Amino acid sequence: KELKRLKNKWRNQINNSEKEIEKLENKIAEMDKIMETLDYSNKIESAKTISAYDALKKELDALMILWEEATEKMEELSLS
């Protein structure tokens, strides 16, 4: 019973992470297009855009780590 509960917990974490990763990847793709046409001579606007882009990338990295950890835990439980 405990094993089933843990599997559900990690499966939910994996599913939620995958959904969030997909959303972030779409936002980053949109930002990529904005970055291509960014007017770097406008330092204030370009700094804001670059900062937002960096924040999205960091958030994606953190979610990827969560996903990897949950996947590893799920695999460990499957081997039990």
Side-chain angles (χ1 to χ4, degrees):
K1 226 174 184 172
E2 179 67 14
L3 183 64
K4 186 175 180 179
R5 188 187 69 75
L6 285 172
K7 281 186 177 182
N8 283 337
K9 173 187 172 186
W10 293 116
R11 188 175 298 115
N12 287 338
Q13 178 66 47
I14 291 167
N15 290 336
N16 290 338
S17 294
E18 288 174 347
K19 288 175 191 171
E20 290 302 311
I21 287 168
E22 185 178 354
K23 286 179 192 175
L24 277 174
E25 286 175 336
N26 289 335
K27 286 181 184 178
I28 289 170
E30 290 173 19
M31 289 293 290
D32 283 337
K33 291 176 186 171
I34 292 169
M35 297 287 280
E36 288 174 8
T37 60
L38 189 60
D39 177 9
Y40 289 94
S41 66
N42 183 341
K43 300 225 184 275
I44 294 172
E45 280 304 310
S46 63
K48 284 182 192 176
T49 303
I50 292 168
S51 178
Y53 185 78
D54 288 344
L56 286 174
K57 296 287 260 186
K58 285 178 185 171
E59 189 176 349
L60 178 61
D61 288 344
L63 273 172
M64 293 295 285
I65 290 169
L66 280 176
W67 177 84
E68 287 172 10
E69 289 172 353
T71 302
E72 287 171 10
K73 295 288 185 187
M74 190 69 175
E75 286 174 2
E76 288 171 14
L77 290 174
S78 294
L79 296 174
S80 303

